[in-house]
């Protein structure tokens, strides 16, 4: 009998000071590990739409209470 896989947890930063100064452009395959929701990539789009690379706004570590590392988009 095989053992069950370990529970999945999304990536978090250890320190608020490690937050990006601006959200980086990142492909969804690399961004998925940072998200607690599913990222979908459509197989086709209506005319006039594109699948450009998005940005990832990483969150501060859980339990953060200090202002260190506060990002400009969280004012």
């Amino acid at each position: 009998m095989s053992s069950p896989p370990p529970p999945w947890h999304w990536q978090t930063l250890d320190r608020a000071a490690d937050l990006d100064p601006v959200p980086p452009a990142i492909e969804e395959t690399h961004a998925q590990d940072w998200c607690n929701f599913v990222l979908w990539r459509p197989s086709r789009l209506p005319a006039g739409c594109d699948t450009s690379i998005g940005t990832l706004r990483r969150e501060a570590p859980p339990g953060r209470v200090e202002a260190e590392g506060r990002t400009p988009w969280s004012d």
Side-chain angles (χ1 to χ4, degrees):
M1 183 171 167
S2 62
S3 56
W8 179 84
H9 296 284
W10 63 91
Q11 291 182 2
T12 59
L13 296 172
D14 293 326
R15 302 176 321 130
D18 295 334
L19 288 166
D20 302 304
V22 296
I26 186 169
E27 293 182 9
E28 71 276 358
T29 55
H30 297 116
Q32 183 63 72
D33 288 340
W34 290 94
C35 300
N36 63 351
F37 52 88
V38 175
L39 296 174
W40 294 96
R41 183 173 183 94
S43 57
R44 73 185 178 161
L45 293 170
C49 295
D50 66 35
T51 57
S52 41
I53 301 291
T55 59
L56 174 70
R57 184 185 73 137
R58 291 181 177 91
E59 297 295 331
R64 176 185 69 110
V65 294
E66 78 283 352
E68 175 193 12
R70 185 171 292 280
T71 56
W73 55 84
S74 58
D75 290 342

